[in-house]
Amino acid sequence: MPKKVDHQERRTLIADALMRVAADQGLEAVSLRHVAAEAGVSAGMVQHYFRTKDEMMAFALAVVRERSQIRVTEAMAGLGADPSPRLLLRTMIAALLPLDERTRDDGRVALAFLAYTAVRPAAAPSLREDTVRLTGFIASVLPPPNADAAAAGLLALMEGLGVYLLGGQYTAEQALAALDAHLDLLFG
Amino acid sequence: MPKKVDHQERRTLIADALMRVAADQGLEAVSLRHVAAEAGVSAGMVQHYFRTKDEMMAFALAVVRERSQIRVTEAMAGLGADPSPRLLLRTMIAALLPLDERTRDDGRVALAFLAYTAVRPAAAPSLREDTVRLTGFIASVLPPPNADAAAAGLLALMEGLGVYLLGGQYTAEQALAALDAHLDLLFG
């Protein structure tokens, strides 16, 4: 009797390999051949689960998004029943910043994806949805007037801090000091 | 008598091709083969001027940096003798943002380079020098106290606005509104 193939397990095996290649060598190094070698399977096997590079890219980003959502949820859960708007935003943004080695790996994948989609905007409708959802939430928590523009600015500041943390231009301390200074201004 | 080779002209020809490949297909598509095809020369010729992919990347970034410095200088020249600190910063940052098609091409190259160096930090000592120089200048113009953290925040906000402009998450109007709202806060 042939062994039953566990598709979910295989897909996870390949996906993990894909994420390791992306985090170690950059998303531009992600290819059928590289991912297959890293997973210890054939290129044909990888192709069975991810047909194109775009599909691999989108999958890597989905993994990164899911992990960030889990980090935010966990961090929020520690805040108790009725946190101040400032503490809520500070906690959410700190949970999304690449401040340690684990989150840096995810951050590198996310940044590579942003660079990839800046050339191929069609590859990333979900990025725009994420942004609308996040700025909407932030605006609902910020003091009026001008909450929409301030929310767009705070999200951009977060993205820029992430880029500079990954590039080594800012230390974790500098990034958090910049975030706190900005929240001081927003909440007066 | 053999024709004298104009090295500067050839280097510029290849460099222009490199920038077109990077802007159209992303920096990850930059390779000896692609650039040679775009420039209409042999791969060996490209290799004579740029020995490695890292050298090509660094050159593309240098071109982008030089163009941004020219844009900033031109924009500043229009400000007259004694602009307010707020107007000075607004003008400088707007000149650095990818707000039109020409600056978007440069912005895509810069973003791809950031993603590349997030995986290979050694490739980008000049990025860290740029950041130190820019935050130093911004801090010298911002009102105390906390000018250092505020300068780091403003630069991060600029970088994030650039990322979202390139990804199509923000329109030019939204990005400038977010910048103005942030400058309102900083200058009270």
Side-chain angles (χ1 to χ4, degrees), chain B residues 99-166:
Chain B
L99 291 166
D100 59 37
E101 208 35 62
R102 193 172 53 99
T103 52
R104 286 174 67 83
D105 278 354
D106 284 5
R108 279 189 279 266
V109 172
L111 180 58
F113 195 84
L114 286 171
Y116 188 75
T117 55
V119 181
R120 297 165 201 80
S126 69
L127 283 183
R128 280 186 289 284
E129 287 158 27
D130 281 1
T131 307
V132 168
R133 197 172 42 80
L134 266 170
T135 47
F137 171 73
I138 295 173
S140 75
V141 177
L142 284 177
N146 231 353
D148 285 336
L154 182 55
L155 198 68
L157 179 123
M158 180 189 87
E159 196 69 52
L161 291 178
V163 169
Y164 289 159
L165 281 163
L166 292 173

XYZ file of all heavy atoms in Angstrom, chain B residues 99-166:
499
model
N 7.600 61.585 -5.295
C 6.268 62.145 -5.559
C 5.897 62.167 -7.037
O 4.730 62.334 -7.384
C 6.173 63.575 -4.985
C 6.178 63.655 -3.445
C 6.421 65.083 -2.984
C 4.877 63.115 -2.859
N 6.880 62.034 -7.935
C 6.537 61.966 -9.358
C 7.261 60.789 -10.019
O 8.033 60.086 -9.369
C 6.848 63.292 -10.072
C 8.320 63.659 -9.947
O 9.175 62.743 -9.992
O 8.628 64.853 -9.795
N 7.003 60.584 -11.320
C 7.470 59.350 -11.960
C 9.001 59.254 -11.974
O 9.566 58.186 -11.768
C 6.899 59.245 -13.388
C 6.728 57.830 -13.899
C 6.328 56.798 -12.823
O 5.252 56.906 -12.194
O 7.121 55.881 -12.598
N 9.668 60.388 -12.158
C 11.124 60.383 -12.219
C 11.718 60.018 -10.853
O 12.611 59.169 -10.758
C 11.613 61.781 -12.661
C 13.072 61.845 -13.075
C 13.370 63.230 -13.669
N 12.962 64.296 -12.755
C 13.807 64.950 -11.935
N 15.074 64.666 -11.919
N 13.364 65.913 -11.144
N 11.187 60.637 -9.821
C 11.726 60.345 -8.489
C 11.273 58.964 -8.013
O 11.936 58.360 -7.177
C 11.311 61.433 -7.482
O 9.893 61.618 -7.546
C 12.000 62.746 -7.797
N 10.162 58.451 -8.552
C 9.726 57.099 -8.187
C 10.725 56.050 -8.682
O 11.008 55.082 -7.983
C 8.341 56.798 -8.758
C 7.216 57.515 -8.031
C 5.887 57.292 -8.729
N 5.461 55.906 -8.640
C 4.827 55.388 -7.606
N 4.570 56.136 -6.554
N 4.457 54.136 -7.608
N 11.254 56.244 -9.895
C 12.273 55.313 -10.406
C 13.459 55.256 -9.448
O 13.944 54.183 -9.097
C 12.760 55.764 -11.793
C 11.813 55.313 -12.897
O 10.860 54.569 -12.587
O 12.022 55.702 -14.053
N 13.931 56.436 -9.043
C 15.051 56.474 -8.105
C 14.662 55.847 -6.766
O 15.454 55.144 -6.139
C 15.495 57.924 -7.867
C 16.291 58.460 -9.047
O 16.406 57.749 -10.059
O 16.805 59.589 -8.948
N 13.435 56.125 -6.342
C 12.972 55.595 -5.062
C 12.921 54.073 -5.065
O 13.262 53.427 -4.074
N 12.517 53.493 -6.202
C 12.474 52.028 -6.300
C 13.871 51.430 -6.168
O 14.058 50.400 -5.520
C 11.838 51.607 -7.632
C 10.318 51.645 -7.603
C 9.731 51.002 -8.855
N 9.733 51.929 -9.978
C 8.716 52.707 -10.318
N 7.597 52.662 -9.619
N 8.799 53.513 -11.339
N 14.842 52.091 -6.788
C 16.224 51.609 -6.678
C 16.697 51.703 -5.219
O 17.291 50.776 -4.676
C 17.158 52.416 -7.609
C 18.619 52.061 -7.354
C 16.798 52.157 -9.064
N 16.390 52.844 -4.580
C 16.822 53.033 -3.188
C 16.175 51.996 -2.274
O 16.835 51.419 -1.402
C 16.478 54.449 -2.725
N 14.882 51.738 -2.490
C 14.174 50.764 -1.637
C 14.735 49.360 -1.842
O 14.950 48.610 -0.877
C 12.678 50.793 -1.960
C 11.782 49.841 -1.162
C 11.897 50.105 0.343
C 10.320 49.985 -1.592
N 14.999 49.011 -3.103
C 15.580 47.696 -3.367
C 16.949 47.577 -2.709
O 17.312 46.525 -2.173
C 15.704 47.474 -4.874
N 17.697 48.678 -2.711
C 19.008 48.648 -2.077
C 18.876 48.464 -0.569
O 19.641 47.720 0.056
C 19.769 49.939 -2.387
C 21.233 49.824 -2.075
C 22.105 49.260 -2.990
C 21.739 50.251 -0.863
C 23.455 49.136 -2.699
C 23.087 50.125 -0.561
C 23.945 49.563 -1.485
N 17.876 49.123 0.024
C 17.645 48.960 1.470
C 17.331 47.500 1.797
O 17.827 46.943 2.775
C 16.491 49.854 1.936
C 16.802 51.346 2.037
C 15.523 52.134 2.297
C 17.809 51.610 3.146
N 16.496 46.875 0.960
C 16.152 45.464 1.187
C 17.389 44.586 1.032
O 17.614 43.648 1.811
C 15.052 45.023 0.218
N 18.219 44.917 0.051
C 19.439 44.156 -0.214
C 20.398 44.261 0.976
O 20.969 43.269 1.426
C 20.083 44.715 -1.483
C 21.261 43.937 -2.023
C 21.077 42.734 -2.694
C 22.558 44.416 -1.886
C 22.149 42.029 -3.209
C 23.640 43.722 -2.402
C 23.426 42.525 -3.064
O 24.495 41.834 -3.573
N 20.552 45.467 1.496
C 21.519 45.663 2.579
C 20.973 45.219 3.930
O 21.747 45.038 4.865
C 21.948 47.133 2.683
O 20.779 47.936 2.832
C 22.704 47.551 1.439
N 19.650 45.042 4.039
C 19.104 44.501 5.293
C 19.589 43.064 5.478
O 19.674 42.557 6.597
C 17.579 44.553 5.288
N 19.916 42.404 4.366
C 20.451 41.043 4.430
C 21.986 41.067 4.461
O 22.619 40.191 5.026
C 19.944 40.218 3.224
C 20.464 38.791 3.259
C 18.419 40.206 3.199
N 22.588 42.109 3.845
C 24.060 42.220 3.783
C 24.480 43.595 4.283
O 24.855 44.466 3.491
C 24.529 42.069 2.321
C 24.223 40.716 1.703
C 24.360 40.772 0.201
N 23.632 39.697 -0.431
C 22.318 39.695 -0.640
N 21.589 40.743 -0.255
N 21.737 38.672 -1.195
N 24.419 43.811 5.611
C 24.661 45.154 6.165
C 26.029 45.709 5.770
O 26.196 46.920 5.653
C 24.591 44.941 7.675
C 23.850 43.661 7.856
C 24.143 42.816 6.646
N 27.026 44.830 5.529
C 28.363 45.309 5.200
C 28.385 46.069 3.876
O 29.285 46.873 3.635
C 29.338 44.132 5.132
N 27.375 45.829 3.028
C 27.340 46.478 1.712
C 27.021 47.971 1.800
O 27.112 48.671 0.811
C 26.337 45.768 0.804
N 26.645 48.454 2.994
C 26.071 49.792 3.032
C 26.582 50.708 4.134
O 25.796 51.331 4.835
C 24.560 49.663 3.150
N 27.902 50.849 4.300
C 28.353 51.806 5.324
C 27.885 53.221 5.009
O 27.581 53.999 5.922
C 29.874 51.695 5.262
C 30.186 51.096 3.936
C 29.022 50.228 3.592
N 27.758 53.550 3.698
C 27.388 54.918 3.337
C 25.966 55.257 3.778
O 25.646 56.413 4.046
C 27.526 55.129 1.836
O 26.538 54.389 1.148
N 25.086 54.228 3.857
C 23.718 54.490 4.305
C 23.707 54.992 5.748
O 22.964 55.903 6.089
C 22.878 53.206 4.242
C 22.392 52.764 2.864
C 21.535 51.528 3.014
C 21.605 53.875 2.189
N 24.540 54.380 6.582
C 24.572 54.798 7.986
C 25.156 56.204 8.120
O 24.658 57.017 8.897
C 25.340 53.782 8.830
C 24.480 52.566 9.167
C 25.161 51.606 10.123
N 26.257 50.882 9.510
C 26.096 49.846 8.657
N 24.887 49.444 8.337
N 27.146 49.246 8.148
N 26.188 56.498 7.322
C 26.758 57.866 7.339
C 25.705 58.888 6.914
O 25.580 59.944 7.526
C 27.962 57.959 6.393
C 29.210 57.257 6.922
C 30.179 56.910 5.796
O 30.175 57.611 4.762
O 30.929 55.920 5.949
N 24.952 58.566 5.848
C 23.885 59.465 5.392
C 22.893 59.751 6.513
O 22.452 60.885 6.699
C 23.091 58.809 4.244
C 23.831 58.910 2.923
O 24.943 59.461 2.902
O 23.296 58.413 1.919
N 22.517 58.692 7.225
C 21.510 58.838 8.275
C 22.025 59.726 9.395
O 21.309 60.614 9.876
C 21.129 57.453 8.829
O 20.758 56.621 7.740
C 19.961 57.552 9.798
N 23.273 59.506 9.798
C 23.857 60.316 10.869
C 23.915 61.785 10.445
O 23.564 62.697 11.205
C 25.271 59.791 11.225
C 26.005 60.776 12.126
C 25.174 58.422 11.893
N 24.325 62.017 9.201
C 24.423 63.381 8.694
C 23.047 64.046 8.648
O 22.855 65.170 9.113
C 25.030 63.315 7.278
C 25.594 64.615 6.730
C 26.347 64.366 5.412
N 25.653 63.431 4.520
C 24.624 63.750 3.737
N 24.158 64.983 3.717
N 24.051 62.843 2.961
N 22.045 63.316 8.142
C 20.699 63.883 7.998
C 20.041 64.127 9.358
O 19.466 65.197 9.577
C 19.817 62.947 7.168
C 19.760 63.257 5.675
C 19.068 62.143 4.910
C 19.026 64.582 5.422
N 20.118 63.149 10.259
C 19.490 63.365 11.578
C 20.207 64.500 12.306
O 19.565 65.295 12.993
C 19.499 62.096 12.457
O 20.797 61.519 12.430
C 18.477 61.083 11.988
N 21.519 64.606 12.141
C 22.269 65.704 12.764
C 21.777 67.057 12.259
O 21.517 67.974 13.052
N 21.604 67.166 10.955
C 21.117 68.421 10.382
C 19.697 68.730 10.864
O 19.397 69.845 11.293
C 21.148 68.362 8.849
C 20.468 69.532 8.210
C 21.072 70.788 8.231
C 19.205 69.399 7.642
C 20.427 71.888 7.679
C 18.561 70.498 7.088
C 19.175 71.742 7.106
N 18.830 67.732 10.809
C 17.435 67.949 11.224
C 17.380 68.373 12.692
O 16.665 69.304 13.068
C 16.582 66.683 10.984
C 16.494 66.390 9.476
C 15.181 66.844 11.561
C 15.808 65.064 9.136
N 18.171 67.683 13.539
C 18.164 68.013 14.973
C 18.618 69.455 15.205
O 18.105 70.147 16.097
C 19.051 67.036 15.745
N 19.550 69.937 14.368
C 20.063 71.303 14.548
C 19.008 72.352 14.218
O 19.127 73.512 14.595
C 21.309 71.513 13.674
O 20.920 71.668 12.312
N 17.971 71.940 13.498
C 16.945 72.877 13.044
C 15.677 72.769 13.897
O 14.864 73.682 13.949
C 16.617 72.589 11.549
C 15.525 73.476 11.035
C 17.861 72.757 10.691
N 15.507 71.641 14.596
C 14.287 71.418 15.374
C 14.357 72.144 16.719
O 15.442 72.336 17.273
C 14.084 69.926 15.626
C 13.570 69.092 14.445
C 13.484 67.626 14.845
C 12.213 69.593 13.974
N 13.177 72.528 17.256
C 13.169 73.161 18.579
C 13.520 72.148 19.669
O 13.136 70.981 19.578
C 11.719 73.648 18.724
C 10.922 72.832 17.770
C 11.837 72.432 16.662
N 14.272 72.549 20.710
C 14.529 71.669 21.848
C 13.261 71.558 22.692
O 12.348 72.387 22.489
C 15.643 72.395 22.604
C 15.520 73.836 22.208
C 14.897 73.869 20.852
N 13.130 70.671 23.680
C 14.087 69.615 23.991
C 13.798 68.402 23.106
O 12.821 68.407 22.367
C 13.744 69.291 25.446
C 12.270 69.496 25.528
C 11.946 70.611 24.558
N 14.649 67.388 23.218
C 14.357 66.119 22.548
C 14.551 66.185 21.044
O 13.945 65.422 20.297
C 12.904 65.705 22.850
C 12.841 64.282 23.364
O 13.860 63.587 23.366
N 11.677 63.837 23.768
N 15.411 67.107 20.600
C 15.592 67.295 19.156
C 16.176 66.042 18.495
O 15.832 65.740 17.344
C 16.480 68.511 18.893
N 17.037 65.307 19.195
C 17.635 64.114 18.585
C 16.584 63.043 18.283
O 16.534 62.496 17.181
C 18.730 63.519 19.490
C 20.000 64.359 19.444
O 20.208 65.067 18.438
O 20.759 64.327 20.423
N 15.749 62.753 19.288
C 14.710 61.736 19.085
C 13.697 62.217 18.042
O 13.226 61.434 17.206
C 14.016 61.412 20.407
N 13.380 63.514 18.077
C 12.416 64.055 17.111
C 12.987 64.002 15.698
O 12.266 63.728 14.732
C 12.040 65.488 17.493
N 14.292 64.246 15.565
C 14.932 64.192 14.243
C 14.924 62.756 13.721
O 14.635 62.517 12.537
C 16.363 64.715 14.338
N 15.233 61.798 14.589
C 15.208 60.385 14.182
C 13.795 60.003 13.747
O 13.609 59.258 12.779
C 15.675 59.491 15.334
N 12.795 60.524 14.442
C 11.406 60.233 14.098
C 11.008 60.853 12.769
O 10.360 60.209 11.939
N 11.420 62.093 12.546
C 11.055 62.765 11.297
C 11.693 62.062 10.099
O 11.058 61.874 9.055
C 11.480 64.242 11.347
C 11.131 65.090 10.122
C 9.642 65.031 9.787
C 11.563 66.549 10.328
N 12.947 61.641 10.247
C 13.604 60.938 9.141
C 12.923 59.588 8.880
O 12.728 59.196 7.722
C 15.090 60.727 9.446
C 15.950 60.406 8.227
C 16.041 61.607 7.293
C 17.339 59.942 8.628
N 12.546 58.902 9.952
C 11.838 57.622 9.787
C 10.495 57.848 9.103
O 10.084 57.071 8.233
C 11.652 56.950 11.148
N 9.800 58.906 9.507
C 8.518 59.228 8.865
C 8.716 59.459 7.365
O 7.959 58.937 6.537
C 7.914 60.479 9.519
C 6.579 60.947 8.938
C 5.503 61.011 10.022
C 6.706 62.310 8.271
N 9.775 60.177 7.006
C 10.065 60.405 5.588
C 10.296 59.077 4.856
O 9.734 58.843 3.785
C 11.302 61.289 5.451
C 11.677 61.577 4.017
S 13.280 62.403 3.874
C 14.380 60.987 3.841
N 11.097 58.209 5.460
C 11.403 56.923 4.831
C 10.122 56.103 4.647
O 9.895 55.502 3.601
C 12.390 56.161 5.725
C 13.089 55.003 5.068
C 14.076 55.442 3.990
O 14.919 56.299 4.275
O 13.974 54.941 2.858
N 9.278 56.083 5.680
C 8.028 55.321 5.616
C 7.073 55.895 4.576
O 6.412 55.154 3.846
N 7.001 57.232 4.500
C 6.161 57.847 3.463
C 6.660 57.434 2.076
O 5.862 57.136 1.186
C 6.180 59.377 3.590
C 5.478 59.988 4.813
C 5.642 61.511 4.800
C 3.997 59.613 4.869
N 7.982 57.395 1.918
C 8.559 56.974 0.637
C 8.147 55.555 0.285
O 7.742 55.265 -0.842
N 8.239 54.660 1.266
C 7.865 53.257 1.049
C 6.398 53.154 0.631
O 6.048 52.450 -0.320
C 8.122 52.428 2.324
C 7.490 51.046 2.222
C 9.626 52.306 2.594
N 5.518 53.884 1.323
C 4.085 53.789 1.028
C 3.711 54.502 -0.272
O 2.737 54.126 -0.931
C 3.265 54.338 2.206
C 3.297 53.434 3.418
C 3.007 53.921 4.689
C 3.609 52.079 3.302
C 3.025 53.095 5.799
C 3.647 51.250 4.408
C 3.352 51.757 5.657
O 3.376 50.936 6.758
N 4.461 55.538 -0.644
C 4.239 56.160 -1.947
C 4.604 55.183 -3.064
O 3.875 55.034 -4.044
C 5.082 57.437 -2.083
C 4.546 58.682 -1.379
C 5.638 59.730 -1.233
C 3.361 59.263 -2.150
N 5.727 54.497 -2.904
C 6.168 53.544 -3.931
C 5.221 52.353 -4.035
O 4.982 51.835 -5.117
C 7.584 53.041 -3.619
C 8.696 54.086 -3.732
C 10.010 53.499 -3.238
C 8.845 54.558 -5.174
